[in-house]
Amino acid sequence: MTRDDELAALRARVSELEAERPARRPRSRPKSALAVVLVVLAALLTPLSVVAVWSNALIGDTDRYVQTMAPLADDPDVRTAVTNRVTTAVMDRIDVADLLSGVAPADRPLLEKALGAADGPLTSGLTSLVRTTTERFVASAAFTTVWDRLNRTAHAAVDKALTGHDDGAVKVEDGEVTLDLAPVVDQVKQSLVDQGLTVAGNIPEVHTSITLMQSTGALAKARTGFRLLQLLSWVLPLLVVLLAAGAVLLARRRRRALITAAVAIAAGALVLGLALWIGRAVYLDALPDDVSRPAAGAVYDTLVRFLRTAVRVVAVVGAVVALASWLSGPGRWARAVRGAWTGAIGSVRDTLFTGGSGTFGPVGPWVHRMRTWLNLTVAAVAAAVLIAWSYPTATVVLWIAVVAVCALAVIEFLDAPTLPPPALPEESADDAPPAAPAR
């Protein structure tokens, strides 16, 4: 056979092989595009879902609201704002000109003793007495109790502001939610009477307030949106998960799609965190001059405290899912990390069981056969614990991940497809059998 015949036969064979090879599957561009759209929608809905869950938990749960607002009782800016409000309200209702004339002769020494420690004119001394008395009460444990009771009542203010429900104990006017400090004024009045300022007992009921919310013109518009968020508080998070799952199923490279979806959801949560940071500055700049900005800032930070926690939780969960998906992939660095992981655990296992010091019995082969299902069970249990946790934090998520990694390490340690044969002891020269006699 000539060379030309060999080349012709080779070309014919190549043609036959190409004809037998199945046609290459065309790229499903519509599916890939739809997967991208689903990932983008999941990222965009993430901030809304976080806000929906937070708002439903905060407004729908009175105990949760009181727990959220409790730290403000110890905040120095809030204490100063309360002290200023109460002092001004009390002094506005005390007629200094009629003060001494209205005091009984038996009470004059006690009143003069109370005012004598204050320098300056009578008005300054009286103001100093009222302020000192208020500061002493605000710094006491009794104020913490009153504050919790006021905020339990104030929970109706937020509910009224965002749902329209009415409650006479809290005022909502022109988009401003205020907390009535009348119980604090009553406590201060009683303390003043006990110190000899009996005229304070004649002060009528005083209603002064501290601002909790300020939203000019936008509060009424926010009611509809808030009610919608309440109704969708569980639908939106589920929708985000379904959108991400749909994107993964439609994508050609599902592991890469899962990593992208996890990162996009984490990025959506971080965008919400950035919006909260910017919104704080915008909110404080819009406050009127008579509102204490330090106190308003403390109230804002306290109200969104758990919302910021939710942002961190979603970001950490997204990062953990993305990292786990990457480590399970075929990439060179992922293979290197997995090799180091299995090598380190295998070295520990071999060291512990060298020389037949112990065996796994039938456990090792069984774990080897069920390894995939065991790993999936660990992941499912970790996800179930995270979902069942009432109000998880970023620390809780990290600890769940650490426990899951430890469980995976135990599975890797027990994964022994065959039991190592026990090592035979080395024979010494004395134990060796006698050599056969030479013939």
Side-chain angles (χ1 to χ4, degrees):
M1 181 180 293
T2 63
R3 183 176 182 181
D4 293 337
D5 294 337
E6 292 178 354
L7 291 175
L10 182 60
R11 292 192 183 97
R13 181 58 179 165
V14 170
S15 300
E16 292 176 0
L17 293 175
E18 290 181 350
E20 294 175 358
R21 187 177 62 181
R24 184 179 181 183
R25 293 178 59 185
R27 291 186 177 182
S28 181
R29 295 184 181 274
K31 288 185 177 181
S32 300
L34 182 57
V36 173
V37 172
L38 293 181
V39 170
V40 173
L41 287 177
L44 293 177
L45 289 178
T46 296
L48 285 177
S49 63
V50 173
V51 172
V53 174
W54 167 81
S55 60
N56 184 61
L58 187 68
I59 308 303
D61 189 345
T62 302
D63 293 334
R64 180 69 168 174
Y65 179 85
V66 173
Q67 179 187 359
T68 301
M69 300 297 287
L72 289 175
D74 298 324
D75 187 274
D77 294 323
V78 173
R79 286 181 172 182
T80 300
V82 172
T83 299
N84 292 337
R85 289 283 186 177
V86 172
T87 301
T88 302
V90 172
M91 290 302 300
D92 288 343
R93 284 150 178 89
I94 293 180
D95 190 348
V96 179
D98 297 336
L99 175 62
L100 295 179
S101 61
V103 177
D107 295 331
R108 286 179 180 272
L110 189 60
L111 175 62
E112 293 174 355
K113 180 180 179 181
L115 298 179
D119 297 331
L122 178 61
T123 303
S124 299
L126 183 58
T127 303
S128 177
L129 174 63
V130 174
R131 180 176 297 277
T132 301
T133 303
T134 305
E135 287 177 345
R136 189 180 301 115
F137 173 74
V138 170
S140 66
F143 176 70
T144 302
T145 303
V146 172
W147 180 259
D148 288 344
R149 187 172 70 249
L150 288 176
N151 276 283
R152 191 167 293 275
T153 304
H155 180 262
V158 183
D159 182 71
K160 177 181 178 180
L162 295 176
T163 66
H165 297 163
D166 194 10
D167 191 298
V170 183
K171 299 183 183 301
V172 182
E173 298 177 354
D174 299 328
E176 184 175 288
V177 180
T178 58
L179 182 64
D180 192 354
L181 298 177
V184 179
V185 176
D186 290 340
Q187 293 288 339
V188 172
K189 285 164 50 178
Q190 185 59 45
S191 297
L192 292 174
V193 171
D194 295 341
Q195 295 180 67
L197 192 63
T198 55
V199 69
N202 300 326
I203 298 177
E205 186 177 5
V206 178
H207 292 279
T208 187
S209 60
I210 183 173
T211 301
L212 293 179
M213 267 187 215
Q214 179 83 23
S215 180
T216 305
L219 195 56
K221 298 180 181 178
R223 289 177 180 174
T224 302
F226 170 75
R227 292 297 297 165
L228 182 60
L229 286 178
Q230 267 194 318
L231 296 175
L232 299 178
S233 59
W234 292 108
V235 176
L236 283 176
L238 180 61
L239 183 59
V240 170
V241 174
L242 293 178
L243 289 173
V248 173
L249 294 176
L250 290 174
R252 295 179 64 250
R253 298 180 178 180
R254 293 181 176 178
R255 180 177 286 105
R256 180 176 296 181
L258 179 58
I259 296 173
T260 303
V263 172
I265 291 174
L270 293 177
V271 168
L272 175 59
L274 180 62
L276 292 175
W277 178 67
I278 296 176
R280 185 183 190 275
V282 174
Y283 169 75
L284 294 179
D285 289 341
L287 291 175
D289 295 336
D290 59 340
V291 176
S292 171
R293 278 170 172 73
V299 172
Y300 179 91
D301 293 336
T302 301
L303 280 173
V304 302
R305 175 164 55 105
F306 291 112
L307 183 57
R308 286 171 173 162
T309 299
V311 168
R312 290 191 289 268
V313 167
V314 175
V316 171
V317 169
V320 169
V321 172
L323 180 61
S325 302
W326 175 77
L327 287 175
S328 64
R332 182 180 65 178
W333 289 105
R335 292 198 308 269
V337 173
R338 292 199 304 270
W341 165 269
T342 56
I345 295 178
S347 298
V348 174
R349 181 177 59 242
D350 295 341
T351 301
L352 292 177
F353 291 99
T354 297
S357 60
T359 62
F360 295 125
V363 175
W366 181 82
V367 171
H368 181 72
R369 292 193 307 269
M370 303 295 295
R371 174 175 177 174
T372 301
W373 289 104
L374 291 174
N375 290 338
L376 291 177
T377 301
V378 170
V381 170
V385 171
L386 180 61
I387 294 173
W389 204 285
S390 297
Y391 298 105
T393 62
T395 304
V396 170
V397 175
L398 289 176
W399 272 112
I400 292 176
V402 169
V403 172
V405 169
C406 292
L408 294 175
V410 172
I411 294 173
E412 180 66 32
F413 180 79
L414 296 177
D415 182 9
T418 57
L419 297 178
L424 297 176
E426 297 182 359
E427 296 180 350
S428 62
D430 296 336
D431 297 334
R439 293 183 180 177

